[in-house]
Amino acid sequence: MDSHAQGLIFVAVSLLVALVLTIAPLSAGLAWLRPDWLMLVLIYWLLAMPENVGIALCWLGGIIQDILLGTVLGQNAFSLAVVAYIIQISYQQLRMFSLRKQAALIALLELFRILVDQWAQNLNGVSQTHWLVFLPVFSTALLWFFLRPMMSWLQRVFVAY
Amino acid sequence: MGGLALALILLGARLESMAPLRTQLSVVAAPFYWLADVPSRLSAQFSGVFSSRSDLLEENRALRAESLILNAKLQKYIELSTENVRLRELMNSAERVKDTVVVAEVVGVASDPNRHMLVVDKGSRDNAFVGQPVIDAKGLLGQIVDVGVYHSRVLLITDSAHAIPVRISRNGLRAVAEGSGRIDELSVAHVAATTDIQVGDLLVSSGLGDRFPSGYPVGEVTRVAIDPGKPFAEINARPLAELDRSRNVLLVFSDKIAVE
């Protein structure tokens, strides 16, 4: 198996893990902090393998997330496609950013994702929300500090370049 | 891609024809739910393997005692229900529909803590349908809002998008219990301040609206606050069903509702 195929398999496995973590049951308090695993993993691949991971894959991942969560069909696909577009037009600069700068950008993107989520849920008739829904902005940005080094280590170990 | 997704969002909320598409797509979700449920299944299995003999004996004894008590209550219930049928015949009113239930296992909870939803392992394959009432041993839990092939999604009565017609079992007063977004609270809306309602009153489903069968316990009134400046009393209730603990729930098939 050549390294390209290995890379694609690793992308697929990491996305599967991210999706399972998205629906893994958490206790009531921790659930508010649940980071946006899918977006983090997709952003990692958008930066690491921009020639293979693009807007279409992010859109597909978003649709699967919508099906899993029972949210409005298309809401996560939409926000992830926009995130992918933003990353894709400037990935060469973003790659050079420090971890801290990247985390700040991720916090902004996550805020956008949450706002889209709230808007779509309002369309669906959910009237009351809690300000705690914005907590993932912080947890997702913080997780990036651990996730990026870990993913690049795993990539070095499992995908021989 | 973005435009396509936006169109999906806007059309999905309005088009009826999107529902079957969702049912088909839900097949994709089955392996994910299976995987996410592995830890809790494993822990249940391990606790079964490693529980000690004395614990099991103790549990067995407790269950026997409970079964005895329940059987004794059942005798009285059988007599009461025959009496009830007889009285209804005297009054020329229809006999209450018989409900059958199917046990379903909870395999997931909504990962968004703002929504109160469960995923159960019965879908269109097991004849579950949208709008089907779901109960547990203590009371009414919610209703099915989304049916997949293998799974369905249950909206709990405490979700802020949910409301259920109830009546107070003490005096038959009708009201609507709305979800508050908190797992242990319902709010009873639009009850006039002069209404006879007390802390401790039992709310049961009234059967109005043809969605929930009548007579299932929903909640117990925990707070009645009457502010003379306001037209309505502020009433809170505690749901009786174990919304955040149930592992097994019951899907209710009542003949009247299933026909629709």
Side-chain angles (χ1 to χ4, degrees):
Chain A
M1 195 162 30
D2 62 339
S3 65
H4 185 72
Q6 278 180 354
L8 290 186
I9 289 173
F10 188 38
V11 171
V13 169
S14 65
L15 288 179
L16 282 183
V17 172
L19 282 166
V20 169
L21 284 172
T22 308
I23 56 165
L26 286 178
S27 66
L30 270 179
W32 291 104
L33 272 171
R34 184 196 298 271
D36 192 346
W37 293 99
L38 185 63
M39 186 186 78
L40 283 178
V41 170
L42 281 173
I43 288 178
Y44 178 82
W45 289 120
L46 282 165
L47 292 176
M49 294 175 84
E51 65 283 357
N52 288 319
V53 176
I55 297 178
L57 184 68
C58 294
W59 188 87
L60 192 68
I63 283 285
I64 296 178
Q65 191 184 7
D66 285 329
I67 295 167
L68 288 181
L69 299 182
T71 44
V72 182
L73 202 61
Q75 68 164 74
N76 284 305
F78 168 69
S79 59
L80 279 176
V82 173
V83 166
Y85 176 71
I86 292 172
I87 300 283
Q88 224 172 29
I89 50 171
S90 52
Y91 75 91
Q92 279 154 334
Q93 292 148 45
L94 293 178
R95 268 174 162 180
M96 297 298 132
F97 275 15
S98 65
L99 263 181
R100 219 179 313 161
K101 262 188 171 173
Q102 285 177 345
L105 178 74
I106 281 171
L108 274 179
L109 293 175
E110 176 62 16
L111 182 65
F112 164 75
R113 290 250 295 152
I114 292 171
L115 290 174
V116 169
D117 179 55
Q118 293 303 316
W119 167 71
Q121 290 204 3
N122 270 348
L123 279 184
N124 225 10
V126 181
S127 52
Q128 277 161 348
T129 51
H130 202 281
W131 64 269
L132 283 175
V133 293
F134 290 107
L135 271 184
V137 171
F138 303 105
S139 59
T140 305
L142 279 178
L143 187 66
W144 181 249
F145 288 99
F146 305 99
L147 194 100
R148 197 189 79 163
M150 197 188 77
M151 290 281 288
S152 55
W153 179 74
L154 286 174
Q155 200 184 356
R156 272 201 304 279
V157 171
F158 288 111
V159 185
Y161 271 109
Chain B
M1 288 313 276
L4 185 55
L6 267 184
L8 263 179
I9 300 176
L10 295 172
L11 288 177
R14 282 158 189 79
L15 282 183
E16 286 290 313
S17 56
M18 293 288 282
L21 176 71
R22 274 209 91 117
T23 308
Q24 295 306 315
L25 283 175
S26 74
V27 178
V28 178
F32 289 100
Y33 287 129
W34 185 85
L35 268 178
D37 195 41
V38 164
S40 61
R41 265 205 313 273
L42 277 182
S43 77
Q45 209 156 33
F46 274 111
S47 70
V49 171
F50 291 120
S51 48
S52 70
R53 185 166 177 274
S54 62
D55 280 353
L56 286 175
L57 282 175
E58 181 59 36
E59 194 184 340
N60 200 344
R61 198 175 308 127
L63 285 173
R64 269 174 205 280
E66 197 184 327
S67 140
L68 192 68
I69 293 169
L70 287 176
N71 275 328
K73 278 188 181 160
L74 193 64
Q75 291 172 13
K76 215 156 55 177
Y77 173 76
I78 291 169
E79 195 191 299
L80 279 175
S81 73
T82 48
E83 188 186 333
N84 197 346
V85 169
R86 213 165 48 236
L87 287 172
R88 276 174 188 276
E89 276 167 0
L90 283 176
M91 288 165 64
N92 267 339
S93 81
E95 189 188 350
R96 201 181 131 186
V97 277
K98 274 237 158 48
D99 298 335
T100 51
V101 292
V102 167
V103 180
E105 198 171 329
V106 175
V107 292
V109 291
S111 55
D112 179 357
N114 214 25
R115 303 304 307 275
H116 295 174
M117 289 206 228
L118 301 175
V119 181
V120 296
D121 67 342
K122 294 280 181 288
S124 59
R125 218 175 34 150
D126 314 280
N127 299 323
F129 55 93
V130 170
Q132 183 168 33
V134 180
I135 61 174
D136 74 355
K138 302 273 174 65
L140 224 148
L141 207 78
Q143 58 177 305
I144 290 181
V145 288
D146 206 0
V147 177
V149 180
Y150 304 103
H151 297 99
S152 4
R153 208 171 285 281
V154 178
L155 186 70
L156 299 181
I157 52 174
T158 50
D159 187 275
S160 63
H162 195 275
I164 170 173
V166 293
R167 86 186 127 78
I168 295 167
S169 70
R170 183 168 54 87
N171 54 15
L173 183 94
R174 288 186 305 275
V176 172
E178 293 175 345
S180 64
R182 263 159 298 174
I183 199 78
D184 57 348
E185 199 175 279
L186 293 164
S187 58
V188 185
H190 308 306
V191 175
T194 52
T195 307
D196 173 25
I197 184 166
Q198 296 163 6
V199 172
D201 277 351
L202 180 70
L203 303 173
V204 298
S205 57
S206 70
L208 295 176
D210 272 352
R211 177 129 303 189
F212 294 101
S214 118
Y216 283 107
V218 174
E220 190 189 74
V221 175
T222 51
R223 193 178 75 103
V224 179
I226 295 170
D227 181 351
K230 287 184 185 159
F232 297 117
E234 252 182 65
I235 295 161
N236 296 107
R238 177 180 59 82
L240 289 173
E242 296 181 323
L243 299 179
D244 48 354
R245 269 158 293 174
S246 304
R247 174 79 185 167
N248 289 302
V249 299
L250 304 167
L251 308 187
V252 182
F253 290 89
S254 50
D255 299 336
K256 201 180 93 192
I257 290 177
V259 165
E260 285 180 354

